[in-house]
Amino acid sequence: MAKKSKKQQQSGGTPATVALTAAGVDFTVHAYDHDPGHPSYGEEAAQAMGVSPDRVFKTLVADVDGTLTLAVVPVAGSLDLKALAAAVGGKRAAMADPTLAERTTGYVRGGISPLGQRKKLPTVLDDSATAHATICVSAGRRGLEVELSPTALAELTGAVLSPIGRD
């Protein structure tokens, strides 16, 4: 995997790629033309990159007992809200208001990255990520993904690994 140079980071990096570069993590950026009419940002990313949907992960923002929490799950499945709540020691989880999610993370829906957020949120990464050498997550805008090891993602975000996705 190629690291982005400081020059690349300054010429169009997102907060996510800047954070990865600053941490010295190996990563690859994948850009593609985003189709605003596509019904699923994650499935669009997988198709555009030619990557299996079980290696492309979406970042969802949920409210767990009043605390905004990130859930990073494969785009091929969905989020199990009960499992997410249990993973962080909570009782109830619901999807967060999209406007609040955007304002809190600093990213737009379909481009929310688990990295480089305006406010660091508790993060749970679906444990299926560990079955892959690398996974792809949003790099901070629609049409831009970053590929990195799940271990690096978990370390950088302080993520808890837990089975929060479902088919």
Side-chain angles (χ1 to χ4, degrees):
M1 281 184 269
K3 273 197 211 176
K4 287 193 80 156
S5 69
K6 288 195 188 285
K7 188 174 185 179
Q8 288 173 308
Q9 145 190 328
Q10 292 167 347
S11 67
T14 64
T17 60
V18 170
L20 287 166
T21 301
V25 171
D26 286 340
F27 65 98
T28 304
V29 172
H30 299 277
Y32 59 92
D33 291 327
H34 166 63
D35 173 7
H38 200 285
S40 167
Y41 298 117
E43 288 176 14
E44 176 191 28
Q47 290 169 358
M49 294 184 304
V51 174
S52 172
D54 64 338
R55 281 191 50 228
V56 179
F57 283 64
K58 56 189 170 187
T59 305
L60 303 172
V61 183
D63 179 321
V64 180
D65 297 336
T67 300
L68 289 182
T69 304
L70 294 182
V72 185
V73 296
V75 300
S78 59
L79 171 63
D80 180 335
L81 288 165
K82 278 187 165 187
L84 175 64
V88 294
K91 293 182 182 193
R92 292 189 148 188
M95 294 307 297
D97 173 71
T99 303
L100 179 60
E102 289 178 344
R103 189 172 53 242
T104 304
T105 64
Y107 294 120
V108 297
R109 276 187 334 138
I112 293 178
S113 177
L115 301 156
Q117 296 186 0
R118 184 176 289 152
K119 179 182 178 189
K120 188 171 180 170
L121 300 174
T123 303
V124 181
L125 174 60
D126 186 69
D127 64 357
S128 69
T130 60
H132 309 286
T134 61
I135 60 171
C136 298
V137 296
S138 176
R141 69 174 178 251
R142 296 173 188 152
L144 195 67
E145 293 281 311
V146 64
E147 182 178 350
L148 73 166
S149 78
T151 303
L153 179 62
E155 287 174 4
L156 287 172
T157 59
V160 171
L161 288 168
S162 187
I164 59 167
R166 61 178 171 207
D167 296 332

